[in-house]
Every structure is written in structure tokens, then in C-alpha cells.
Amino acid sequence: MTAAARITAVGTASPPTSYTQAELLELFGIEDPRIRSVFLNSAIERRHLTLPPRGDDGAFRLEEQGELLAKHKRQAVEMGARAIESCLGGTGAGLADIGYLCAVSTTGFLTPGLSAHLIRELGLDPACSRLDVTGMGCNAGLNALNAVAGWARANPGRLAVMVCTEACSAAYVFDGTMRTSVVNSLFGDGAAAIAVTAGPEGPREADAPAAPQLLKFASHIITDAVDAMRYDWDDDQGRFSFYLDPEVPYVVGANAESVIDRLLAGTGLRRSDVAHWLVHSGGKKVIDSVMVNLGLTAHDVRHTTGVLRDHGNLSSGSFLFSYQRLLAEGVARPGEYGVLMTMGPGSTIETALVRW
């Protein structure tokens, strides 16, 4: 019988600088009332960002695409390394124990991939197996976790680590339009890492959180909305640019029920049997739409809204920041079920069922 994979630890990292929405409006001298309203009604209080350098006139300078890619590489490696070290701290495992590293990022492009840079940065075993997941956006963390769980099950007792590291400030375009302003009002920089192993759970301290088993994954791509969320080349700007269709919250919400029903099918569980919901902090309207369509309460998504309030949308690692907050509460009990849920370009919805 194949042993189930378990999430045994989580760690996060953010850049040192953070700003309130009002501070960002002031720093960039944004006076347009429509854009100010988008920023100030986002349900976001503060985000960690690395702002552009200032030009000779003291104003923020528009970064060229090469500078943005260099920012992504620098930030992704630095934050990713800190998140991995934070994840392993206190687990009894060290960097030398990592047998598999899965690196997730969409806010820039690297060849060789981020995993190779992290292996060099952290001095990991050069024989470490690795995978890079890119181009999947905010839902990539669960796509990657499915692969990580598979490797862990095939290699019981060995340590796999997944790190989601997104330098969203390396994906910004500033042109004063509503299209870019919606994106610029939402995303923040951050990284999150989790450790996964398969096999019997080892002894734990009495106050240590339990390690939930990864039981099942379910995916859904909304093919009619493939272009509704995308990060691609903008000829007018000469840069990569992220686009969010205003209909995204409603498209995601309308399809949330079917994928959750598929996730729970054959398990004997109903939605009301799920004690913990860890939903991607995609934005206020996205969270509201998912709540309505799944019949969730504000308490169910308290960590999701808390991460949005304190960090903004962190793309692929958002749901792991919420998972870390749930563990810190110490309320998850053995035998309880949880659902992890992310949404992203495609448009897609990814889900996972866990049991503590």
C-alpha cells in the first residue's frame, strides 16, 4: 500500500519594504479618482513591494523589460531561499536532506530555471531531483503540489520541498490606464515553501501542529475564458503585462461548485464536512464570488481575507500564507478535513483535499 504524502512544515518570506494603498497613491502621485477608488476599495491595507528606482527628477523611473527580469531573478532567489530555510527551521531536517525541489514562479522567466539557482544559492545536493513550474500563475502552487506529492509517495521517507516565489512588482506596467491600474492595485511580493514527506508521521511535540495528508486533487479549466487572465507580451508597452478581465470573479465563482463536487466525489464527504477552507486571495470580488457559490462564511475564509488585507494577492504562494495562519491558530484537529483552492490563468480552478 502506498503511503500518503503529508505536509510537514511551512515557511514564508517577504521583501523588507511594505506600503499601504494610500502611501502608494501618494508615492506615484495618482490623482485619477477612478484609480484611487480601485486602490482604496481593494480590501488591501498593506503590501510588500520593491518599487522602481527613481530617475534624476526624483520620480519613479519606468523599468525596461531587462531590468524587470533581473529584478524577478534577484527577488525570487532571495525570497525563495529565505522561505525554504524558514520552512525547515525547527523540523529537525536540514538543507542536505532535500531530495526533491519544486520551484514555482510566473512573474519572470529564467533558463536555467529557478530550482537550479536555488540549489546553487543554498548549497543543496547537486544530485537533488528538481522541477520548475512556470506559466501557470496563481493556481500553480496546487498544480506543483500534485507533482510533489507524487514524488514523495514514490520515495517514502525522503524530503520534498516546494517553494512558490513571486516578485509581482517585476510584472508591473505603469501607463495610467485602468487595465494596468487594477493589476497594480492588487499584487504583492512574497514566497512560501512547504515540506512534504510520505510514510508514517513521526513523533511530534504536544503543541506541534499535525501534518495533514494530501488525499486527492481535482482541476477544472474554463476553456471559454482562456484569455480572461493572462500574462503575455504587450506590443504597445514593449513589456510583459498582466491582464484581468472584469468578469473573472463571476467566471470563477460560477465554476467553483462543480470542481469542489468533483473533489469530494467518492469520498463520502459533503461540503459541510470540510472544517477548513484555504482559498487563494485572488481579490475581494473573487473571494466574495467563491463564498456565495460554495455557501462559505466570512469565518471560513478568514485567513484568505487576512492574507489579502496584509499582503495583497501573492499569486502562487497566497494559499500557503493562509495555511500558515491556520496552523498558527492551532485549531485543526486530527481527523478533520480541509480544502485548498486556487484560481488562475486559463481560466482554471485547482483544488486539493487534506485530512489532519
Side-chain angles (χ1 to χ4, degrees):
M1 181 176 177
T2 302
R6 295 176 180 272
I7 303 174
T8 57
V10 61
T12 59
S14 302
T17 50
S18 68
Y19 308 88
T20 66
Q21 296 289 71
E23 287 171 341
L24 291 169
L25 290 170
E26 180 71 22
L27 284 167
F28 285 95
I30 297 172
E31 301 292 343
D32 186 324
R34 297 174 306 158
I35 297 175
R36 293 184 66 86
S37 177
V38 169
F39 271 68
L40 297 176
N41 293 289
S42 60
I44 297 169
E45 292 183 4
R46 179 172 288 275
R47 291 178 286 157
H48 291 264
L49 292 167
T50 301
L51 299 183
R54 292 183 182 274
D56 294 337
D57 61 355
F60 288 115
R61 180 172 60 78
L62 194 63
E63 295 162 290
E64 298 297 332
Q65 185 60 63
E67 293 178 280
L68 293 171
L69 290 174
K71 177 192 281 190
H72 167 261
K73 179 180 178 181
R74 183 174 64 251
Q75 291 281 93
V77 172
E78 193 275 330
M79 290 189 301
R82 283 197 288 122
I84 292 170
E85 291 175 326
S86 171
C87 172
L88 296 186
T91 65
L95 295 171
D97 297 311
I98 298 176
Y100 182 82
L101 176 65
C102 179
V104 181
S105 188
T106 296
T107 44
F109 296 95
L110 287 172
T111 303
L114 181 60
S115 65
H117 292 281
L118 286 169
I119 286 172
R120 182 177 68 176
E121 177 73 15
L122 291 169
L124 304 187
D125 184 350
C128 175
S129 299
R130 62 192 179 91
L131 172 70
D132 287 279
V133 175
T134 186
M136 302 191 83
C138 298
N139 58 41
L142 280 178
N143 296 103
L145 185 56
N146 199 348
V148 172
W151 186 91
R153 288 194 299 270
N155 297 271
R158 298 194 64 194
L159 174 63
V161 169
M162 179 183 81
V163 59
C164 302
T165 178
E166 303 286 9
C168 294
S169 59
Y172 281 176
V173 170
F174 297 92
D175 63 359
T177 66
M178 284 300 293
R179 166 181 165 158
T180 59
S181 296
V182 168
V183 174
N184 296 348
S185 73
L186 181 58
F187 290 91
D189 297 351
I194 55 171
V196 176
T197 59
E201 188 176 13
R204 290 186 290 109
E205 299 293 335
D207 58 349
Q213 292 180 318
L214 291 157
L215 300 180
K216 186 180 178 184
F217 293 84
S219 305
H220 182 66
I221 180 166
I222 308 162
T223 53
D224 290 341
V226 163
D227 291 327
M229 284 183 270
R230 62 180 192 265
Y231 180 57
D232 56 9
W233 187 258
D234 185 330
D235 283 331
D236 294 334
Q237 295 294 333
R239 291 170 179 77
F240 288 98
S241 175
F242 196 63
Y243 172 74
L244 285 172
D245 189 288
E247 295 298 314
V248 162
Y250 314 108
V251 170
V252 169
N255 287 274
E257 196 171 12
S258 63
V259 67
I260 292 298
D261 287 348
R262 192 160 1 101
L263 179 72
L264 299 182
T267 65
L269 299 172
R270 298 168 297 179
R271 258 180 265 166
S272 57
D273 295 320
V274 176
H276 307 290
W277 292 86
L278 298 168
V279 180
H280 168 53
S281 303
K284 183 179 184 302
K285 290 182 179 178
V286 172
I287 299 168
D288 289 346
S289 184
V290 170
M291 284 177 61
V292 169
N293 283 277
L294 294 181
L296 304 182
T297 67
H299 182 75
D300 289 329
V301 296
R302 63 195 181 281
H303 305 304
T304 298
T305 53
V307 170
L308 182 68
R309 180 193 63 227
D310 298 335
H311 295 274
N313 182 336
L314 294 163
S315 190
S316 63
S318 290
F319 76 110
L320 295 178
F321 277 73
S322 293
Y323 174 72
Q324 185 180 47
R325 290 185 177 209
L326 174 64
L327 293 191
E329 277 188 336
V331 297
R333 295 288 176 258
E336 289 185 335
Y337 290 89
V339 165
L340 316 180
M341 182 175 185
T342 61
M343 301 79 76
S347 297
T348 54
I349 304 173
E350 304 293 337
T351 59
L353 178 66
V354 300
R355 182 178 61 213
W356 273 265

PDB file of all heavy atoms in Angstrom, residues 119-151:
ATOM      1  N   ILE A 119      19.325  25.820  -5.826  1.00  0.00           N
ATOM      2  CA  ILE A 119      20.265  24.761  -5.429  1.00  0.00           C
ATOM      3  C   ILE A 119      21.660  25.355  -5.249  1.00  0.00           C
ATOM      4  O   ILE A 119      22.372  25.052  -4.277  1.00  0.00           O
ATOM      5  CB  ILE A 119      20.255  23.630  -6.473  1.00  0.00           C
ATOM      6  CG1 ILE A 119      18.968  22.809  -6.336  1.00  0.00           C
ATOM      7  CG2 ILE A 119      21.483  22.724  -6.325  1.00  0.00           C
ATOM      8  CD1 ILE A 119      18.745  21.790  -7.427  1.00  0.00           C
ATOM      9  N   ARG A 120      22.061  26.245  -6.158  1.00  0.00           N
ATOM     10  CA  ARG A 120      23.376  26.893  -6.009  1.00  0.00           C
ATOM     11  C   ARG A 120      23.378  27.857  -4.823  1.00  0.00           C
ATOM     12  O   ARG A 120      24.331  27.863  -4.025  1.00  0.00           O
ATOM     13  CB  ARG A 120      23.731  27.649  -7.284  1.00  0.00           C
ATOM     14  CG  ARG A 120      25.114  28.306  -7.209  1.00  0.00           C
ATOM     15  CD  ARG A 120      25.499  28.979  -8.485  1.00  0.00           C
ATOM     16  NE  ARG A 120      24.661  30.151  -8.763  1.00  0.00           N
ATOM     17  CZ  ARG A 120      24.841  30.963  -9.794  1.00  0.00           C
ATOM     18  NH1 ARG A 120      25.818  30.725 -10.651  1.00  0.00           N
ATOM     19  NH2 ARG A 120      24.052  31.995  -9.986  1.00  0.00           N
ATOM     20  N   GLU A 121      22.328  28.661  -4.684  1.00  0.00           N
ATOM     21  CA  GLU A 121      22.278  29.664  -3.615  1.00  0.00           C
ATOM     22  C   GLU A 121      22.339  29.020  -2.228  1.00  0.00           C
ATOM     23  O   GLU A 121      23.004  29.525  -1.321  1.00  0.00           O
ATOM     24  CB  GLU A 121      20.994  30.491  -3.761  1.00  0.00           C
ATOM     25  CG  GLU A 121      20.757  31.524  -2.674  1.00  0.00           C
ATOM     26  CD  GLU A 121      21.683  32.727  -2.792  1.00  0.00           C
ATOM     27  OE1 GLU A 121      22.304  32.878  -3.866  1.00  0.00           O
ATOM     28  OE2 GLU A 121      21.779  33.505  -1.819  1.00  0.00           O
ATOM     29  N   LEU A 122      21.608  27.902  -2.067  1.00  0.00           N
ATOM     30  CA  LEU A 122      21.512  27.268  -0.752  1.00  0.00           C
ATOM     31  C   LEU A 122      22.544  26.169  -0.551  1.00  0.00           C
ATOM     32  O   LEU A 122      22.637  25.604   0.550  1.00  0.00           O
ATOM     33  CB  LEU A 122      20.101  26.678  -0.576  1.00  0.00           C
ATOM     34  CG  LEU A 122      18.967  27.707  -0.453  1.00  0.00           C
ATOM     35  CD1 LEU A 122      17.616  27.020  -0.552  1.00  0.00           C
ATOM     36  CD2 LEU A 122      19.087  28.472   0.860  1.00  0.00           C
ATOM     37  N   GLY A 123      23.301  25.841  -1.576  1.00  0.00           N
ATOM     38  CA  GLY A 123      24.292  24.774  -1.449  1.00  0.00           C
ATOM     39  C   GLY A 123      23.651  23.405  -1.310  1.00  0.00           C
ATOM     40  O   GLY A 123      24.192  22.521  -0.616  1.00  0.00           O
ATOM     41  N   LEU A 124      22.497  23.188  -1.969  1.00  0.00           N
ATOM     42  CA  LEU A 124      21.843  21.879  -1.888  1.00  0.00           C
ATOM     43  C   LEU A 124      22.641  20.843  -2.665  1.00  0.00           C
ATOM     44  O   LEU A 124      23.501  21.171  -3.494  1.00  0.00           O
ATOM     45  CB  LEU A 124      20.423  21.969  -2.461  1.00  0.00           C
ATOM     46  CG  LEU A 124      19.483  23.013  -1.863  1.00  0.00           C
ATOM     47  CD1 LEU A 124      18.080  22.837  -2.438  1.00  0.00           C
ATOM     48  CD2 LEU A 124      19.463  22.930  -0.360  1.00  0.00           C
ATOM     49  N   ASP A 125      22.330  19.585  -2.392  1.00  0.00           N
ATOM     50  CA  ASP A 125      22.977  18.483  -3.095  1.00  0.00           C
ATOM     51  C   ASP A 125      22.752  18.643  -4.607  1.00  0.00           C
ATOM     52  O   ASP A 125      21.607  18.698  -5.064  1.00  0.00           O
ATOM     53  CB  ASP A 125      22.352  17.167  -2.611  1.00  0.00           C
ATOM     54  CG  ASP A 125      23.024  15.939  -3.226  1.00  0.00           C
ATOM     55  OD1 ASP A 125      23.842  16.106  -4.156  1.00  0.00           O
ATOM     56  OD2 ASP A 125      22.696  14.829  -2.777  1.00  0.00           O
ATOM     57  N   PRO A 126      23.827  18.724  -5.400  1.00  0.00           N
ATOM     58  CA  PRO A 126      23.649  18.882  -6.857  1.00  0.00           C
ATOM     59  C   PRO A 126      22.891  17.723  -7.489  1.00  0.00           C
ATOM     60  O   PRO A 126      22.380  17.855  -8.612  1.00  0.00           O
ATOM     61  CB  PRO A 126      25.089  18.931  -7.382  1.00  0.00           C
ATOM     62  CG  PRO A 126      25.926  19.322  -6.226  1.00  0.00           C
ATOM     63  CD  PRO A 126      25.241  18.740  -5.013  1.00  0.00           C
ATOM     64  N   ALA A 127      22.792  16.594  -6.775  1.00  0.00           N
ATOM     65  CA  ALA A 127      22.047  15.445  -7.296  1.00  0.00           C
ATOM     66  C   ALA A 127      20.564  15.515  -6.943  1.00  0.00           C
ATOM     67  O   ALA A 127      19.806  14.603  -7.258  1.00  0.00           O
ATOM     68  CB  ALA A 127      22.641  14.151  -6.760  1.00  0.00           C
ATOM     69  N   CYS A 128      20.166  16.600  -6.280  1.00  0.00           N
ATOM     70  CA  CYS A 128      18.760  16.780  -5.887  1.00  0.00           C
ATOM     71  C   CYS A 128      17.858  16.757  -7.135  1.00  0.00           C
ATOM     72  O   CYS A 128      18.114  17.452  -8.117  1.00  0.00           O
ATOM     73  CB  CYS A 128      18.644  18.123  -5.159  1.00  0.00           C
ATOM     74  SG  CYS A 128      16.972  18.602  -4.724  1.00  0.00           S
ATOM     75  N   SER A 129      16.813  15.940  -7.103  1.00  0.00           N
ATOM     76  CA  SER A 129      15.836  15.955  -8.200  1.00  0.00           C
ATOM     77  C   SER A 129      15.074  17.271  -8.156  1.00  0.00           C
ATOM     78  O   SER A 129      14.869  17.844  -7.080  1.00  0.00           O
ATOM     79  CB  SER A 129      14.863  14.787  -8.054  1.00  0.00           C
ATOM     80  OG  SER A 129      15.548  13.557  -8.115  1.00  0.00           O
ATOM     81  N   ARG A 130      14.634  17.733  -9.316  1.00  0.00           N
ATOM     82  CA  ARG A 130      14.007  19.064  -9.307  1.00  0.00           C
ATOM     83  C   ARG A 130      12.999  19.205 -10.427  1.00  0.00           C
ATOM     84  O   ARG A 130      13.013  18.472 -11.413  1.00  0.00           O
ATOM     85  CB  ARG A 130      15.063  20.166  -9.401  1.00  0.00           C
ATOM     86  CG  ARG A 130      15.878  20.135 -10.664  1.00  0.00           C
ATOM     87  CD  ARG A 130      17.080  21.057 -10.575  1.00  0.00           C
ATOM     88  NE  ARG A 130      17.859  20.999 -11.795  1.00  0.00           N
ATOM     89  CZ  ARG A 130      17.663  21.805 -12.835  1.00  0.00           C
ATOM     90  NH1 ARG A 130      16.714  22.729 -12.793  1.00  0.00           N
ATOM     91  NH2 ARG A 130      18.384  21.698 -13.917  1.00  0.00           N
ATOM     92  N   LEU A 131      12.117  20.203 -10.225  1.00  0.00           N
ATOM     93  CA  LEU A 131      11.087  20.531 -11.205  1.00  0.00           C
ATOM     94  C   LEU A 131      10.825  22.018 -11.135  1.00  0.00           C
ATOM     95  O   LEU A 131      10.768  22.592 -10.041  1.00  0.00           O
ATOM     96  CB  LEU A 131       9.791  19.764 -10.881  1.00  0.00           C
ATOM     97  CG  LEU A 131       8.557  20.138 -11.705  1.00  0.00           C
ATOM     98  CD1 LEU A 131       8.712  19.670 -13.147  1.00  0.00           C
ATOM     99  CD2 LEU A 131       7.292  19.520 -11.089  1.00  0.00           C
ATOM    100  N   ASP A 132      10.675  22.654 -12.292  1.00  0.00           N
ATOM    101  CA  ASP A 132      10.276  24.066 -12.334  1.00  0.00           C
ATOM    102  C   ASP A 132       8.883  24.158 -12.939  1.00  0.00           C
ATOM    103  O   ASP A 132       8.626  23.590 -14.010  1.00  0.00           O
ATOM    104  CB  ASP A 132      11.260  24.883 -13.186  1.00  0.00           C
ATOM    105  CG  ASP A 132      12.577  25.080 -12.478  1.00  0.00           C
ATOM    106  OD1 ASP A 132      12.649  25.979 -11.619  1.00  0.00           O
ATOM    107  OD2 ASP A 132      13.516  24.312 -12.750  1.00  0.00           O
ATOM    108  N   VAL A 133       7.991  24.854 -12.238  1.00  0.00           N
ATOM    109  CA  VAL A 133       6.634  25.077 -12.732  1.00  0.00           C
ATOM    110  C   VAL A 133       6.483  26.568 -12.994  1.00  0.00           C
ATOM    111  O   VAL A 133       6.600  27.386 -12.074  1.00  0.00           O
ATOM    112  CB  VAL A 133       5.585  24.599 -11.707  1.00  0.00           C
ATOM    113  CG1 VAL A 133       4.175  24.956 -12.183  1.00  0.00           C
ATOM    114  CG2 VAL A 133       5.706  23.096 -11.496  1.00  0.00           C
ATOM    115  N   THR A 134       6.258  26.925 -14.239  1.00  0.00           N
ATOM    116  CA  THR A 134       6.133  28.342 -14.603  1.00  0.00           C
ATOM    117  C   THR A 134       5.010  28.489 -15.613  1.00  0.00           C
ATOM    118  O   THR A 134       4.570  27.522 -16.233  1.00  0.00           O
ATOM    119  CB  THR A 134       7.461  28.865 -15.182  1.00  0.00           C
ATOM    120  OG1 THR A 134       7.348  30.268 -15.404  1.00  0.00           O
ATOM    121  CG2 THR A 134       7.813  28.165 -16.491  1.00  0.00           C
ATOM    122  N   GLY A 135       4.510  29.691 -15.733  1.00  0.00           N
ATOM    123  CA  GLY A 135       3.464  29.968 -16.715  1.00  0.00           C
ATOM    124  C   GLY A 135       2.075  29.536 -16.285  1.00  0.00           C
ATOM    125  O   GLY A 135       1.163  29.556 -17.098  1.00  0.00           O
ATOM    126  N   MET A 136       1.901  29.171 -15.016  1.00  0.00           N
ATOM    127  CA  MET A 136       0.582  28.728 -14.562  1.00  0.00           C
ATOM    128  C   MET A 136      -0.048  29.712 -13.596  1.00  0.00           C
ATOM    129  O   MET A 136      -1.173  29.500 -13.124  1.00  0.00           O
ATOM    130  CB  MET A 136       0.657  27.331 -13.937  1.00  0.00           C
ATOM    131  CG  MET A 136       1.211  26.288 -14.892  1.00  0.00           C
ATOM    132  SD  MET A 136       1.038  24.577 -14.338  1.00  0.00           S
ATOM    133  CE  MET A 136      -0.636  24.234 -14.840  1.00  0.00           C
ATOM    134  N   GLY A 137       0.665  30.790 -13.231  1.00  0.00           N
ATOM    135  CA  GLY A 137       0.079  31.872 -12.459  1.00  0.00           C
ATOM    136  C   GLY A 137      -0.346  31.491 -11.056  1.00  0.00           C
ATOM    137  O   GLY A 137       0.262  30.649 -10.398  1.00  0.00           O
ATOM    138  N   CYS A 138      -1.455  32.100 -10.612  1.00  0.00           N
ATOM    139  CA  CYS A 138      -1.874  31.988  -9.218  1.00  0.00           C
ATOM    140  C   CYS A 138      -2.281  30.574  -8.823  1.00  0.00           C
ATOM    141  O   CYS A 138      -2.311  30.249  -7.640  1.00  0.00           O
ATOM    142  CB  CYS A 138      -3.037  32.939  -8.949  1.00  0.00           C
ATOM    143  SG  CYS A 138      -2.632  34.687  -9.196  1.00  0.00           S
ATOM    144  N   ASN A 139      -2.631  29.721  -9.789  1.00  0.00           N
ATOM    145  CA  ASN A 139      -3.043  28.367  -9.411  1.00  0.00           C
ATOM    146  C   ASN A 139      -1.878  27.380  -9.398  1.00  0.00           C
ATOM    147  O   ASN A 139      -2.051  26.211  -9.071  1.00  0.00           O
ATOM    148  CB  ASN A 139      -4.153  27.853 -10.344  1.00  0.00           C
ATOM    149  CG  ASN A 139      -3.724  27.839 -11.795  1.00  0.00           C
ATOM    150  OD1 ASN A 139      -2.594  27.472 -12.100  1.00  0.00           O
ATOM    151  ND2 ASN A 139      -4.595  28.235 -12.698  1.00  0.00           N
ATOM    152  N   ALA A 140      -0.673  27.840  -9.744  1.00  0.00           N
ATOM    153  CA  ALA A 140       0.459  26.939  -9.957  1.00  0.00           C
ATOM    154  C   ALA A 140       0.867  26.165  -8.710  1.00  0.00           C
ATOM    155  O   ALA A 140       1.406  25.060  -8.808  1.00  0.00           O
ATOM    156  CB  ALA A 140       1.660  27.726 -10.478  1.00  0.00           C
ATOM    157  N   GLY A 141       0.618  26.730  -7.531  1.00  0.00           N
ATOM    158  CA  GLY A 141       1.032  26.056  -6.308  1.00  0.00           C
ATOM    159  C   GLY A 141       0.381  24.694  -6.142  1.00  0.00           C
ATOM    160  O   GLY A 141       1.022  23.741  -5.689  1.00  0.00           O
ATOM    161  N   LEU A 142      -0.896  24.584  -6.510  1.00  0.00           N
ATOM    162  CA  LEU A 142      -1.569  23.288  -6.362  1.00  0.00           C
ATOM    163  C   LEU A 142      -1.222  22.341  -7.505  1.00  0.00           C
ATOM    164  O   LEU A 142      -1.172  21.129  -7.303  1.00  0.00           O
ATOM    165  CB  LEU A 142      -3.078  23.485  -6.246  1.00  0.00           C
ATOM    166  CG  LEU A 142      -3.537  23.891  -4.836  1.00  0.00           C
ATOM    167  CD1 LEU A 142      -5.034  24.129  -4.796  1.00  0.00           C
ATOM    168  CD2 LEU A 142      -3.157  22.823  -3.818  1.00  0.00           C
ATOM    169  N   ASN A 143      -1.001  22.873  -8.712  1.00  0.00           N
ATOM    170  CA  ASN A 143      -0.500  22.012  -9.791  1.00  0.00           C
ATOM    171  C   ASN A 143       0.822  21.389  -9.376  1.00  0.00           C
ATOM    172  O   ASN A 143       1.070  20.184  -9.565  1.00  0.00           O
ATOM    173  CB  ASN A 143      -0.309  22.813 -11.068  1.00  0.00           C
ATOM    174  CG  ASN A 143      -1.603  23.371 -11.621  1.00  0.00           C
ATOM    175  OD1 ASN A 143      -1.868  24.553 -11.460  1.00  0.00           O
ATOM    176  ND2 ASN A 143      -2.399  22.548 -12.265  1.00  0.00           N
ATOM    177  N   ALA A 144       1.699  22.214  -8.810  1.00  0.00           N
ATOM    178  CA  ALA A 144       3.019  21.736  -8.390  1.00  0.00           C
ATOM    179  C   ALA A 144       2.913  20.776  -7.216  1.00  0.00           C
ATOM    180  O   ALA A 144       3.630  19.764  -7.161  1.00  0.00           O
ATOM    181  CB  ALA A 144       3.899  22.928  -8.019  1.00  0.00           C
ATOM    182  N   LEU A 145       2.011  21.079  -6.282  1.00  0.00           N
ATOM    183  CA  LEU A 145       1.884  20.226  -5.098  1.00  0.00           C
ATOM    184  C   LEU A 145       1.447  18.813  -5.484  1.00  0.00           C
ATOM    185  O   LEU A 145       1.856  17.832  -4.848  1.00  0.00           O
ATOM    186  CB  LEU A 145       0.883  20.847  -4.120  1.00  0.00           C
ATOM    187  CG  LEU A 145       0.723  20.130  -2.777  1.00  0.00           C
ATOM    188  CD1 LEU A 145       2.068  19.988  -2.064  1.00  0.00           C
ATOM    189  CD2 LEU A 145      -0.271  20.885  -1.901  1.00  0.00           C
ATOM    190  N   ASN A 146       0.641  18.694  -6.530  1.00  0.00           N
ATOM    191  CA  ASN A 146       0.241  17.378  -7.015  1.00  0.00           C
ATOM    192  C   ASN A 146       1.469  16.568  -7.438  1.00  0.00           C
ATOM    193  O   ASN A 146       1.619  15.394  -7.104  1.00  0.00           O
ATOM    194  CB  ASN A 146      -0.726  17.545  -8.195  1.00  0.00           C
ATOM    195  CG  ASN A 146      -1.554  16.293  -8.465  1.00  0.00           C
ATOM    196  OD1 ASN A 146      -1.267  15.236  -7.935  1.00  0.00           O
ATOM    197  ND2 ASN A 146      -2.561  16.426  -9.296  1.00  0.00           N
ATOM    198  N   ALA A 147       2.388  17.223  -8.167  1.00  0.00           N
ATOM    199  CA  ALA A 147       3.615  16.548  -8.599  1.00  0.00           C
ATOM    200  C   ALA A 147       4.526  16.229  -7.407  1.00  0.00           C
ATOM    201  O   ALA A 147       5.143  15.148  -7.346  1.00  0.00           O
ATOM    202  CB  ALA A 147       4.356  17.423  -9.619  1.00  0.00           C
ATOM    203  N   VAL A 148       4.618  17.156  -6.471  1.00  0.00           N
ATOM    204  CA  VAL A 148       5.466  16.945  -5.281  1.00  0.00           C
ATOM    205  C   VAL A 148       4.947  15.761  -4.464  1.00  0.00           C
ATOM    206  O   VAL A 148       5.720  14.915  -3.993  1.00  0.00           O
ATOM    207  CB  VAL A 148       5.502  18.231  -4.434  1.00  0.00           C
ATOM    208  CG1 VAL A 148       6.214  17.978  -3.099  1.00  0.00           C
ATOM    209  CG2 VAL A 148       6.206  19.350  -5.193  1.00  0.00           C
ATOM    210  N   ALA A 149       3.626  15.701  -4.293  1.00  0.00           N
ATOM    211  CA  ALA A 149       3.040  14.579  -3.537  1.00  0.00           C
ATOM    212  C   ALA A 149       3.330  13.251  -4.229  1.00  0.00           C
ATOM    213  O   ALA A 149       3.607  12.240  -3.570  1.00  0.00           O
ATOM    214  CB  ALA A 149       1.534  14.797  -3.382  1.00  0.00           C
ATOM    215  N   GLY A 150       3.268  13.262  -5.580  1.00  0.00           N
ATOM    216  CA  GLY A 150       3.572  12.036  -6.323  1.00  0.00           C
ATOM    217  C   GLY A 150       4.999  11.581  -6.110  1.00  0.00           C
ATOM    218  O   GLY A 150       5.272  10.384  -5.929  1.00  0.00           O
ATOM    219  N   TRP A 151       5.956  12.527  -6.122  1.00  0.00           N
ATOM    220  CA  TRP A 151       7.358  12.167  -5.891  1.00  0.00           C
ATOM    221  C   TRP A 151       7.542  11.636  -4.470  1.00  0.00           C
ATOM    222  O   TRP A 151       8.254  10.635  -4.247  1.00  0.00           O
ATOM    223  CB  TRP A 151       8.270  13.377  -6.108  1.00  0.00           C
ATOM    224  CG  TRP A 151       9.740  13.029  -6.029  1.00  0.00           C
ATOM    225  CD1 TRP A 151      10.563  12.661  -7.059  1.00  0.00           C
ATOM    226  CD2 TRP A 151      10.547  12.985  -4.831  1.00  0.00           C
ATOM    227  NE1 TRP A 151      11.820  12.390  -6.589  1.00  0.00           N
ATOM    228  CE2 TRP A 151      11.849  12.581  -5.236  1.00  0.00           C
ATOM    229  CE3 TRP A 151      10.308  13.251  -3.494  1.00  0.00           C
ATOM    230  CZ2 TRP A 151      12.894  12.444  -4.320  1.00  0.00           C
ATOM    231  CZ3 TRP A 151      11.352  13.106  -2.576  1.00  0.00           C
ATOM    232  CH2 TRP A 151      12.634  12.706  -2.993  1.00  0.00           C
TER     233      TRP A 151
END
